[in-house]
C-alpha cells in the first residue's frame, strides 16, 4: 500500500486486525525483512510495517534525512490510518527511530520492543565509518554496501548455512537507492545519545538481542533493559543482528508473549 505522507510516497503493509503493532526496519533493509513476523502476528494483531523514506518501495529523494523525519513519517502514517496508539517494534535503525518517536510522540506509544539496537550515539570512529560507507555507496553502488553489511547483519553460522536468507538480505540492500543509503547513514551519524531518555521511558518494554549480534551486542541490550523501568531482556540464541530473520520463531514468540502481556 502507499500513502502520501509529509510530501513523499510512503509504502507500507497494513495486515490483520486488533491492537496495532508497528514494525520499524533496520538499515539498509525494508519492510520485507518483517515477512515472518507479519505472517505470524497479523493473525491476532493489526500489523503496520512502513518502508522508511529512502528504502524499499518508498520514495528516496536526495535530501537531508533525519531520524526525527522518520518518526514524523511514522506519525503521519498513523494519522492517515486513524491509529492513535500502537506497540512499536524497532530493530536496530528501527530502534533508533523508536527513540526519536518517543521524544516527540510518547502518548502514542503503548509499548516498545527494542531489538538489536542501542541507546548510545555513534562514537567518532563510528561516524567516520558512516561517511566512508556513504562514499562507497556513491562510488561503487549498493552492491558494495551489501558486501560490507552482510557480515554485520548476519551471524557467521547464518552466512555459511542459510544461503537463501543471505540472498534475500543482499537483494534488499542491492535494491536500495544510494540516496536512501547515504541519507540514512548521515541521519544515524547525527542521532543524539538516547541513554538519558531510557529512565524516562514509561511504557512496557521488551528488549531483544541476538546472542551473536556484532553491531549491537547483548551488552547494549542489557544497558537498555537495566535503565528502562520494568523492562525485560530476551537473548535469542544462535541469532546475529537480524535476529528476527535468523530465528524467526523465537523472535516472534518473544514478541507474541509481550503483546499478550499488554492485552
Ligand atoms: C541496522 O541494522 O539498522 C544498522 O546496523 C544500524 C547501524 O548501523 O547502527
Amino acid at each position: 500500500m502507499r500513502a502520501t505522507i509529509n510530501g513523499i510516497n510512503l509504502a507500507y503493509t497494513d495486515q490483520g486486525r486488533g491492537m496495532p503493532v508497528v514494525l520499524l526496519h533496520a538499515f539498509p533493509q525494508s519492510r520485507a525483512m518483517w515477512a515472518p513476523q507479519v505472517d505470524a502476528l497479523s493473525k491476532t494483531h493489526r500489523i503496520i510495517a512502513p518502508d522508511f523514506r529512502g528504502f524499499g518501495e518508498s520514495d528516496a529523494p536526495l535530501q537531508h534525512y533525519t531520524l526525527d523525519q522518520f518518526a514524523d513519517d511514522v506519525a503521519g502514517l498513523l494519522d492517515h490510518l486513524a491509529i492513535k496508539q500502537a506497540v512499536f517494534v524497532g530493530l536496530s535503525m528501527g530502534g533508533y527511530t523508536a527513540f526519536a518517536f518517543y521524544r516527540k510522540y510518547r502518548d502514542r506509544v503503548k509499548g516498545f520492543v527494542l531489538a538489536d539496537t542501542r541507546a548510545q550515539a555513534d562514537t567518532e570512529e563510528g561516524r567516520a565509518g558512516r561517511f566512508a560507507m556513504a562514499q562507497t555507496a556513491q562510488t561503487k553502488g549498493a552492491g558494495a554496501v551489501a558486501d560490507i553489511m552482510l557480515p554485520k547483519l548476519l551471524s557467521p553460522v547464518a552466512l555459511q548455512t542459510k544461503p537463501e536468507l543471505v540472498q534475500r538480505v543482499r537483494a534488499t540492500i542491492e535494491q536500495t537507492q544510494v540516496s536512501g543509503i547515504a541519507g540514512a547513514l548521515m541521519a544515524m551519524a547525527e542521532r543524539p545519545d538516547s541513554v538519558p531518555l531510557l529512565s524516562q521511558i514509561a511504557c512496557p518494554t521488551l528488549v531483544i538481542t541476538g546472542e551473536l549480534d556484532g553491531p549491537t551486542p547483548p551488552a547494549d541490550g542489557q544497558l537498555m533493559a537495566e535503565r528502562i523501568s520494568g523492562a525485560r531482556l530476551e537473548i535469542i540464541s544462535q541469532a546475529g543482528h537480524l535476529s528476527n530473520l535468523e530465528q524467526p520463531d523465537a523472535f516472534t514468540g518473544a514478541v507474541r508473549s509481550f503483546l499478550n502481556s499488554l492485552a
Side-chain angles (χ1 to χ4, degrees), residues 58-74:
S58 288
D59 286 351
L62 183 59
Q63 57 172 206
H64 181 200
Y65 287 66
T66 65
L67 296 174
D68 279 353
Q69 179 71 69
F70 284 4
D72 290 343
D73 290 345
V74 173

Side-chain angles (χ1 to χ4, degrees), residues 190-206:
E190 69 179 23
R191 78 187 191 283
D193 182 12
S194 290
V195 174
L197 181 73
L198 297 176
S199 60
Q200 296 169 38
I201 294 180
C203 62
T205 299
L206 170 67

